[in-house]
Amino acid sequence: MSPRIDRLWPNPDADLDDEALLAAYAFPADQAWLRMNFVSSLDGAATREELSAGLGDEADHRVFDLLRRPAHAVLVAAGTARAEGYGAMRLDDASARWRESQGLAPHPVFALVTRSLHVDPTSPVFADAPVRPVVYTVASAPSERRAALEPVADVVVTGDESVDLRALRDDLAARGCTRIHSEGGPSFFGACLTAGIVDELCLTLAPTLEGGDAARIAGDTQSAPTSMRLASVLRARDELLLRYVRG
Ligand SMILES: NC(=O)c1ccc[n+]([C@@H]2O[C@H](COP(=O)([O-])OP(=O)(O)OC[C@H]3O[C@@H](n4cnc5c(N)ncnc54)[C@H](OP(=O)(O)O)[C@@H]3O)[C@@H](O)[C@H]2O)c1
């Protein structure tokens, strides 16, 4: 049984089904949009034992999966893909059917950001991909790694030492991917804030105090503080699922 999720604000509503959740997280129509999704403990930890999975509960996992559904592209930085052991970006049958009913391809494009190109071209991310992934990297990346990836992914070079994230966003838009859903991680979120390309943050506030020195959800950024505006508040037992858009 799906974990119960209620909406507290706006328009309070109880026990949202998947359609109601998808409506609550709908991308704006006719507008390019980049959404970030994170889970954090109450004291700001982005990981437990160096992974995010232990922080969220079933409700967070339910929303995590649903958020992929309406996306044209799922964008992930290489640190997170390596740490969390990403597989192919293949959605379940219900999600694929839902997407087709909305005129979308059955699966979103998987887009990976890496400076080092330290990714295995034989991994399921590429070998089992239902849609050819796109890898964004830099001119200084090792050419032999680039050559190894080119048979299994579109490799796009933007920037010398760091991926030009505005160019990345434009490149995805040129591929028809204007609804971008990013699953992080923190260093990448910081870089996206510096580039000024973040439109929305979906933040699960997990009811736990972790202590210690775990990373926060946003790493180093050269941008001034970015003010955000509260868009909605969902609740699953003691957990809050918050949506903020750029202020
Ligand atoms: N709490 C949450 O919701 C959440 C979400 C996601 C991840 N996490 C956790 O966060 C940790 C990973 O985060 P992280 O900050 O270490 O890594 P990250 O942000 O996922 O990835 C950093 C890596 O991405 C690439 N990268 C990022 N920005 C780039 C740019 N502008 N140009 C070129 N390459 C760029 C580089 O890859 P290369 O190293 O390949 O050059 C860089 O080392 C994991 O423990 C994961 O579990 C938590």
Side-chain angles (χ1 to χ4, degrees), residues 83-98:
E84 305 273 350
Y86 268 62
M89 189 51 61
R90 181 183 296 280
L91 304 195
D92 61 23
D93 290 347
S95 297
R97 278 196 302 276
W98 183 90

Side-chain angles (χ1 to χ4, degrees), residues 37-39 46-47 50-52 77-80 82-84 113-118 138 162-163 165 183-188 191 217:
N37 184 40
F38 277 94
V39 57
T47 56
E50 307 198 349
L51 289 177
S52 61
T80 291
R82 287 190 290 260
E84 305 273 350
V113 182
T114 168
R115 187 175 289 112
S116 67
L117 282 182
H118 186 62
V138 292
S162 289
V163 167
L165 297 173
E183 296 174 356
S187 310
F188 181 60
I217 62 165

Side-chain angles (χ1 to χ4, degrees), residues 24-215:
Y25 286 102
F27 281 96
D30 305 325
Q31 194 181 342
W33 196 259
L34 191 149
R35 165 182 286 161
M36 281 278 171
N37 184 40
F38 277 94
V39 57
S40 167
S41 71
L42 295 177
D43 56 336
T47 56
R48 176 185 290 168
E49 295 171 356
E50 307 198 349
L51 289 177
S52 61
L55 289 177
D57 67 2
E58 300 97 324
D60 175 61
H61 299 162
R62 180 181 172 200
V63 169
F64 181 94
D65 288 343
L66 278 177
L67 285 177
R68 287 180 173 177
R69 259 199 209 183
H72 295 148
V74 176
L75 175 64
V76 181
T80 291
R82 287 190 290 260
E84 305 273 350
Y86 268 62
M89 189 51 61
R90 181 183 296 280
L91 304 195
D92 61 23
D93 290 347
S95 297
R97 278 196 302 276
W98 183 90
R99 287 174 62 87
E100 287 178 312
S101 76
Q102 303 291 311
L104 297 169
H107 304 281
V109 173
F110 182 63
L112 185 73
V113 182
T114 168
R115 187 175 289 112
S116 67
L117 282 182
H118 186 62
V119 285
D120 178 1
T122 67
S123 77
V125 170
F126 302 104
D128 297 344
V131 181
R132 191 173 162 85
V134 187
V135 175
Y136 291 94
T137 192
V138 292
S140 56
S143 56
E144 68 281 5
R145 288 192 186 149
R146 188 170 152 187
L149 270 172
E150 276 169 346
V152 294
D154 286 0
V155 181
V156 179
V157 173
T158 68
D160 294 328
E161 300 297 327
S162 289
V163 167
D164 179 334
L165 297 173
R166 287 192 166 265
L168 175 156
R169 192 171 162 152
D170 290 347
D171 182 81
L172 280 173
R175 295 167 185 270
C177 299
T178 50
R179 298 176 180 174
I180 305 170
H181 173 61
S182 179
E183 296 174 356
S187 310
F188 181 60
F189 188 17
C192 288
L193 289 172
T194 298
I197 61 166
V198 178
D199 296 302
E200 176 180 343
L201 170 64
C202 296
L203 177 65
T204 298
L205 205 50
T208 164
L209 293 160
E210 296 293 309
D213 57 1

